[in-house]
Amino acid sequence: MDRRVVITGLGVVAPNGVGVPAFTNAVKMGISGISHDRQLQDLQFSCQIAGKPEITENMKLSYFSELELRGFNSTGILYGVIAGLEAWADAKLPSNGPEPDWDTGILFGSGTSGVDKFRESIYKIDDLQTRRLGSNVVAQTMNSGISAYLGGKLGAGNQVTTNSSACVTGTESILMAFDRIRSGQAKRMLAGSTGESGPYIWAGFDAMRVCTFRHNDTPEKGSRPMSASASGFVPGSGAGAMVLEDLESAIQRDAPIYAEVLGGNVNSGGQRGEGTMTAPNSAAVQRCITEALKKAGVKGKDIDAINGHLTATSKDSLEIENWAEALDRREADFPYINSLKSMTGHCLSGAGSIECVASVLQLYDGFIFPNINCEDLHPEIASVINPSCVPSGLIIKNINLLAKASFGFGDVNACIIFKKYKN
């Protein structure tokens, strides 16, 4: 028998807010976390703005010991551990005991891990200083470093692993955790993803000329999803996390419940048709959405709001068309839709999970957050949906069903359906 799966804890490290309270306020108020990055300027990047979470030294010491921080410079693991442990505490779960918790697993995604540590290691190796690399190089640079760190801090005894699917990573991790709980293989899973920050992560995208270069002097205006004046995405970083739990277990321990996960779907366009390494196959995108609805047991007409992928690139118009086709809803009948990237930039492998946290908060608190920098809706989008479906200001409204999708390099897709929890 399939079990009902609910969300009992949230954690987030985002460019516009570290911690759920700060993030919630920023999302509601339309506060941007994008700023000028002096390092990118010095390195002569075309795009010299970025979304980067602000982590203080005191905050680091709240989650890591001084010994752990010695030689530690993996921002991805840093962000993921902070977000993951916040979600765990938010779910009112106990700290790790002397024995493994066989009912708890971790599925925490990452695109890359420890790039700065790799760079540091390469220089030491080239300088014949291999013995001075330190004992934590492997833990910081292995792709599963984030799940390994969290697994040790929480004593998780169920599956502890890391997935990696480009920009789809976070949404996929939540769906994988959902499947494990629903099938009875775990009572709870800490799921999410993290994305590192810095020039060695962002340089490739700058070289591809997919990042904006027109707003180096006006950073907060730089990320413009669905806008006619969008000129590319703004690189970002951070992590999102949530505790998914068997409903029966959550009720037994009187846990807070933010929302219910009804189901979803993951697929690929196979880089066939119009799909390539960097472009989506529309047939696959539409199929991913329709199959997600089917698996969740809902209809397209039932969706109240969409949190899109929407990166402020030329593919935004195509994404709206794909949503309209998959839901069979157009013009004023289209649901509300928003893009968190207008405030955070594109957090890459961390994007899906951060955006899922924002999606769940909208269901739980009864609001639809604004799309900033979209006062000039792209005419191709305006020809498909009514501009009123793209809110430019905060809307206070109880919504029941929200669809969240992520689309990534490699022509991969994920769509998840969240529902407001009702007894």
Side-chain angles (χ1 to χ4, degrees):
M1 179 181 176
D2 288 345
R3 292 160 169 79
R4 289 175 68 184
V5 180
V6 294
I7 298 161
T8 56
L10 297 174
V12 67
V13 173
N16 64 339
V18 176
V20 171
F23 179 68
T24 303
N25 178 68
V27 166
K28 284 184 174 180
M29 297 298 102
I31 297 172
S32 173
I34 297 169
S35 61
H36 181 261
D37 191 303
R38 181 58 185 268
Q39 188 177 20
L40 299 186
Q41 178 184 336
D42 292 344
L43 292 170
Q44 299 181 12
F45 274 50
S46 295
C47 178
Q48 298 171 6
I49 61 176
K52 191 174 179 180
E54 294 185 4
I55 307 295
T56 65
E57 290 302 315
N58 284 339
M59 187 177 294
K60 290 180 184 179
L61 288 169
S62 297
Y63 293 91
F64 295 86
S65 67
E66 290 187 2
L67 181 61
E68 287 176 315
L69 289 173
R70 190 176 301 167
F72 185 94
N73 61 358
S74 171
T75 54
I77 292 174
L78 175 69
Y79 299 154
V81 166
I82 293 173
L85 295 186
E86 182 190 21
W88 187 260
D90 188 43
K92 295 181 169 48
L93 287 161
S95 56
N96 60 315
E99 299 295 329
D101 180 354
W102 308 115
D103 295 321
T104 295
I106 295 171
L107 226 164
F108 219 93
S110 174
T112 53
S113 185
V115 171
D116 284 329
K117 179 59 67 174
F118 263 122
R119 179 173 179 269
E120 174 189 312
S121 300
I122 289 167
Y123 277 112
K124 286 185 177 179
I125 293 168
D126 288 347
D127 291 341
L128 305 180
Q129 299 183 51
T130 303
R131 294 182 181 276
R132 297 184 62 185
L133 290 179
S135 60
N136 61 6
V137 170
V138 174
Q140 285 190 61
T141 57
M142 64 185 188
N143 206 44
S144 59
I146 177 56
S147 57
Y149 267 88
L150 284 167
K153 288 182 177 296
L154 297 177
N158 206 283
Q159 182 184 26
V160 174
T161 192
T162 293
N163 67 307
S164 187
S165 298
C167 310
V168 169
T169 299
T171 306
E172 180 186 69
S173 71
I174 294 165
L175 281 169
M176 292 170 71
F178 164 79
D179 285 338
R180 190 163 183 84
I181 298 169
R182 184 178 59 170
S183 63
Q185 297 180 75
K187 283 188 178 179
R188 68 194 66 85
M189 298 288 293
L190 175 60
S193 67
T194 186
E196 293 206 333
S197 64
Y200 303 104
I201 297 293
W202 299 329
F205 299 103
D206 199 70
M208 289 174 67
R209 300 184 179 180
V210 295
C211 297
T212 183
F213 60 88
R214 295 179 178 173
H215 297 275
N216 291 336
D217 295 328
T218 54
E220 294 181 357
K221 299 292 184 182
S223 188
R224 309 182 68 81
M226 296 184 281
S227 166
S229 53
S231 54
F233 75 77
V234 175
S237 57
M242 55 181 63
V243 174
L244 283 78
E245 190 165 358
D246 182 320
L247 176 61
E248 183 179 341
S249 169
I251 291 174
Q252 284 178 349
R253 63 182 196 84
D254 196 27
I257 296 178
Y258 285 97
E260 183 170 2
V261 182
L262 294 186
N265 191 52
V266 177
N267 76 357
S268 171
Q271 300 180 44
R272 298 296 188 267
E274 61 185 339
T276 67
M277 177 64 74
T278 59
N281 179 337
S282 290
V285 169
Q286 293 172 29
R287 181 181 178 87
C288 183
I289 296 168
T290 56
E291 287 295 309
L293 294 170
K294 182 178 178 181
K295 291 178 180 180
V298 299
K299 304 292 185 183
K301 64 181 178 61
D302 300 324
I303 299 298
D304 299 307
I306 298 167
N307 181 242
H309 187 61
L310 297 166
T311 57
T313 63
S314 61
K315 298 302 178 182
D316 285 5
S317 299
L318 180 60
E319 179 177 336
I320 297 297
E321 175 63 29
N322 285 331
W323 278 109
E325 283 291 314
L327 299 179
D328 191 23
R329 295 174 64 179
R330 293 176 178 272
E331 299 178 347
D333 184 47
F334 196 82
Y336 289 109
I337 187 165
N338 52 22
S339 173
L340 186 68
K341 294 180 181 72
S342 64
M343 304 180 217
T344 62
H346 191 343
C347 297
L348 305 175
S349 56
S353 57
I354 296 172
E355 291 163 14
C356 280
V357 171
S359 297
V360 168
L361 288 170
Q362 290 181 100
L363 285 167
Y364 183 70
D365 281 349
F367 70 94
I368 298 169
F369 68 75
N371 295 282
I372 66 172
N373 303 327
C374 192
E375 58 276 0
D376 56 340
L377 185 65
H378 197 290
E380 291 181 8
I381 294 176
S383 70
V384 177
I385 64 175
N386 192 299
S388 64
C389 302
V390 185
S392 58
L394 176 68
I395 296 175
I396 303 300
K397 183 179 179 65
N398 285 321
I399 53 178
N400 186 50
L401 288 172
L402 184 146
K404 164 66 197 154
S406 298
F407 311 116
F409 273 23
D411 196 11
V412 292
N413 314 298
C415 181
I416 187 168
I417 309 299
F418 295 111
K419 183 179 186 294
K420 188 175 185 68
Y421 175 70
K422 298 173 183 176
N423 294 329

